[in-house]
Amino acid sequence: MTLLPFIVLIGAMFLMTRSAKNKQRQAATMRDQMGPGTGVRTIGGMYATVKEVHEDAVLLEVAPGVHAFYAKNAVGAVLDDAEYNRIVHGIDPEDSDEAADAADDTPVVPDDASSLTEAEDESADAEAADEDKKTDLSKPSAGADAPKEDKRDDDADAK
């Protein structure tokens, strides 16, 4: 009877370490999938593109022309191209198909520039109308709101 709680405790510890090792193994295989050009998310939540993979570190491009070395353990997730483009660039895979279709419908360029100047005149008129509609948010001067008093400080001393 006294051995039963001890055996249960050892069994629970065995199951917990086993699941932790499985998670570590899955993380290692995920990090092995990294290659140049792969989109990743770091454990800090930063999205970047892998430029080089070294033994224990990776070179990430965090912005165009900005590179930083990170430990491989700092990579939280390796993302597929569609998900990375959706998150970082806002490109939805369904929208990109529609954008390709829209690229086929290229606009026709006019022979003369008269249509281009009409658009500029209309935008100038719209800007002038917007300026007329703007609300004055400036603070009025203190003298305009203050009640006018007939007496001054100098007059009160004169009595």
Side-chain angles (χ1 to χ4, degrees), residues 61-93:
E61 184 175 30
V62 295
V66 179
H67 298 89
F69 272 106
Y70 279 84
K72 274 190 176 180
N73 293 338
V75 175
V78 177
L79 307 172
D80 60 345
D81 290 337
E83 184 178 4
Y84 181 76
N85 286 330
R86 181 183 60 80
I87 294 170
V88 175
H89 302 295
I91 299 171
D92 195 17

Side-chain angles (χ1 to χ4, degrees), residues 36-116:
T38 306
V40 296
R41 182 182 67 236
T42 65
I43 58 175
M46 182 177 62
Y47 293 92
T49 305
V50 176
K51 287 297 175 184
E52 297 175 6
V53 179
H54 301 281
E55 187 175 326
D56 292 331
V58 291
L59 179 66
L60 300 178
E61 184 175 30
V62 295
V66 179
H67 298 89
F69 272 106
Y70 279 84
K72 274 190 176 180
N73 293 338
V75 175
V78 177
L79 307 172
D80 60 345
D81 290 337
E83 184 178 4
Y84 181 76
N85 286 330
R86 181 183 60 80
I87 294 170
V88 175
H89 302 295
I91 299 171
D92 195 17
E94 296 169 2
D95 292 343
S96 64
D97 294 338
E98 294 173 8
D101 294 340
D104 296 336
D105 301 330
T106 54
V108 177
V109 178
D111 292 338
D112 60 345
S114 63
S115 63
L116 299 176

